[in-house]
Amino acid sequence: MSAVEQTLYETLGGEETIGKVVDVFYNKYVLNDDRIKDFFVGVDMEKQRLMQTKFLAFAFGGPAFNGKKMNVAHRHLKLKDEHFDAVIDDLGKALRDFDVSDEIIAKIVAVAETTRDDVLGRTEKSAPVVPEMEHVDRELLHTDPIYRFQYVAKFVDFSDKDVEAIKSVAEQLAPLGSVLVDAVYDKLHKFDVTWASMAKRHEGYSGQVVENVDDLGVDSSQIKYRKDMLTRYIGRLLTNPYDERMIKYLDWVAKIHTDIPGKQSKINVEYIHISALLGFVESTLIWAISTLKLEREHELRVILAFNKVLWLQNDFFAKYYAKDGSDVPNSFGLHAHPPKSKFSLQSAIIGGAVAAIGFLVARRL
């Protein structure tokens, strides 16, 4: 028994005075405290006062206490920290009614705090808590773009914090938008297989279409139109709320690049090029973010946020090519119609590699 505990017992006047404090503690405070009074409904308060008196006497350095262990006595109540805090608060009030000094009350509270984990059952060995498994409707994954987005967003932990991170650099990145757009089209112009996709009418473009790849320059009106579309796309990524309207927009962006029926454009880009382009966009974005000279933690949050957004966009592209869900009526994919471009294992591997590389780059910055 420590000297401090013995002194507390003696200072309070022994078990008799402690019993009086306990009476006031329950009658005046606990049983009128909305935070905890319901725990004492139907309780034999005479017995409760006696047991509490003997326990406190023991805790403060008095005679041995032979009652139940704290975790056993309180297990059925499922108490929380706020309940324990209320008890400590009421005990302090009762002690002040007996003119106990704040210094002594602080020592008493310190002793009481040593029982917190026992009272709340934290010292008991229990089976690990297994989180409840969330049900995912497979049919909706392949038919409802909103539901699909929400599932993937939850899986990659895309949240409002990521949206905030993106918006936090919107003004700084906006001037770099044209640089990013030019970089994208310079990259597309380096390969005939990707530039050939540019020689098609884009949805919404009403001007003259140059269909000969050799005659299609980066300054042509149809390329300028596409650049303008990409600029607006980047602007929306930076500033729009990620609500249902935005989700439908991201889905539309994916859809117009595929051979799915019901669209106006003649574009049909194979998935391998979509995947490679998204990887290039992410790398360019990481470079752009690095030029902002953000604090390390802020920079990492922004990079990871964009990584998640581009992966969500990639999934919207992939769902129109993949054969997953071919057994689901009215599903998204091209497999429901005679496809002109097929989703291949090679494309999937490249897509996964791009995402992995982007994530690793973000982690290393």
Side-chain angles (χ1 to χ4, degrees), residues 51-87:
M51 296 300 292
Q52 186 68 273
T53 298
K54 290 188 175 296
F55 171 72
L56 290 178
F58 163 70
F60 299 151
F65 174 69
N66 297 318
K68 292 181 180 179
K69 292 183 178 180
M70 289 294 99
N71 55 356
V72 176
H74 297 88
R75 179 187 297 155
H76 66 290
L77 298 175
K78 300 186 184 301
L79 298 174
K80 298 181 180 179
D81 280 296
E82 54 262 37
H83 302 133
F84 192 91
D85 292 340
V87 170

Side-chain angles (χ1 to χ4, degrees), residues 213-271:
V213 174
D214 294 331
D215 296 332
L216 183 60
V218 292
D219 294 325
S220 68
S221 61
Q222 68 198 63
I223 296 301
K224 287 181 179 178
Y225 179 83
R226 284 171 172 268
K227 284 186 173 183
D228 183 55
M229 292 289 288
L230 180 56
T231 300
R232 279 184 279 176
Y233 171 78
I234 294 171
R236 291 186 180 188
L237 291 185
L238 290 172
T239 61
N240 275 25
Y242 282 75
D243 52 14
E244 289 194 9
R245 184 176 180 181
M246 181 63 171
I247 294 172
K248 290 178 180 178
Y249 170 71
L250 296 176
D251 186 38
W252 173 80
V253 168
K255 185 176 181 179
I256 63 173
H257 289 83
T258 70
D259 199 28
I260 204 79
K263 67 186 185 71
Q264 299 175 17
S265 68
K266 301 299 182 181
I267 305 171
N268 177 30
V269 183
E270 291 185 333
Y271 180 75

Side-chain angles (χ1 to χ4, degrees), residues 200-213:
K200 304 288 183 181
R201 182 175 296 280
H202 193 287
E203 187 160 322
Y205 176 68
S206 57
Q208 182 178 357
V209 176
V210 178
E211 296 184 347
N212 188 323
V213 174

